[in-house]
Amino acid sequence: MAPSRQLNRRQARQLMDTAYLSAAMALLWLALYYLPVGSPLFRLALPLPLALLQLRHGWRCALEGVAVTALLLVVLMGPIRGPLVLFPYGALALWLGWCWNRRTSWWWSWGIGSLIGTAGFLVRVAVLSVLVGENLWVVLTTAAAGLLEKLAGWFGLAASIELVQVQAMALALVWLQNLVVVFALHAVAYWIFPKLKAAIPEPPRLLQALVALDSP
């Protein structure tokens, strides 16, 4: 009877963690959409609950958590805005949790995580473009190209700016932004998760000075 009670207790803890951490991610997504302040903090915290779930209970519980979060947000926000939490935050949570659970190097989790974040941004732009019936990426980059040409004219620069160059520059800026965000996710998890008994791998030597809380 003792092993059975132990197994039931473990399953109950998995169920409780999955429910609470999935609900936490859903609430952060709702706050990101509807609250006028705190957007950077919400974006930074979004992948962490399910990454913590994977560190505690493995990838199967993390997949269940992603499914629960998506279904909950479909009920609360509808079939379009709700599942957008998967791009990139759900995918990023699964990737970071998988890497941290297997103690892989920060270089892998950070580098590929930034690409996942960039791909998720493009997916969101594509979905919103379908909803409004216009290619928002082209609209934004065309407006940026026109603004850059005006600035070049004001400063007496005769070189014309092509749309392809502006799009490549915009894509590079999106990737750089995600590079910073994913590194910040590593730093926050490195500071907080040990207090929750779910430590992530140590940072590489080159990055230790950037995440150390104590002053030299």
Side-chain angles (χ1 to χ4, degrees):
M1 297 297 294
S4 177
R5 287 197 299 270
Q6 183 68 27
L7 180 62
N8 290 336
R9 192 181 304 117
R10 178 176 59 85
Q11 290 176 341
R13 183 180 176 185
Q14 288 180 350
L15 183 62
M16 182 184 67
D17 283 353
T18 302
Y20 277 111
L21 293 174
S22 301
M25 186 173 185
L27 288 174
L28 287 170
W29 183 249
L30 287 170
L32 179 64
Y33 255 91
Y34 296 118
L35 293 183
V37 295
S39 177
L41 293 177
F42 296 142
R43 292 179 188 275
L44 191 60
L46 260 167
L48 295 181
L50 293 186
L52 177 62
L53 180 64
Q54 188 165 179
L55 282 173
R56 286 180 171 177
H57 301 295
W59 64 271
R60 289 186 179 180
C61 278
L63 286 175
E64 292 174 0
V66 168
V68 170
T69 300
L71 290 174
L72 181 60
L73 288 173
V74 165
V75 173
L76 295 175
M77 302 180 69
I80 301 298
R81 288 181 296 177
L84 281 180
V85 72
L86 302 176
F87 308 101
Y89 302 108
L92 196 57
L94 291 177
W95 169 250
L96 294 178
W98 186 88
C99 290
W100 293 340
N101 199 28
R102 284 156 180 76
R103 322 305 292 177
T104 59
S105 171
W106 281 33
W107 298 119
W108 280 103
S109 55
W110 181 22
I112 298 181
S114 66
L115 296 178
I116 292 174
T118 303
F121 172 82
L122 296 177
V123 169
R124 293 203 308 274
V125 170
V127 171
L128 293 175
S129 297
V130 172
L131 292 178
V132 301
E134 193 170 5
N135 193 329
L136 296 179
W137 178 256
V138 173
V139 170
L140 292 173
T141 51
T142 301
L147 179 60
L148 290 175
E149 287 183 353
K150 288 183 180 179
L151 291 175
W154 290 344
F155 288 100
L157 302 176
S160 62
I161 301 174
E162 297 182 0
L163 181 60
V164 176
Q165 296 173 336
V166 177
Q167 290 180 339
M169 186 180 301
L171 191 60
L173 290 175
V174 171
W175 175 73
L176 287 174
Q177 179 189 21
N178 281 279
L179 202 65
V180 173
V181 169
V182 176
F183 178 77
L185 283 171
H186 280 73
V188 172
Y190 181 72
W191 298 331
I192 296 177
F193 280 13
K195 298 179 177 61
L196 303 174
K197 298 181 180 180
I200 71 171
E202 290 293 322
R205 185 174 300 176
L206 292 176
L207 301 177
Q208 286 180 355
L210 297 176
V211 299
L213 289 177
D214 53 337
S215 58

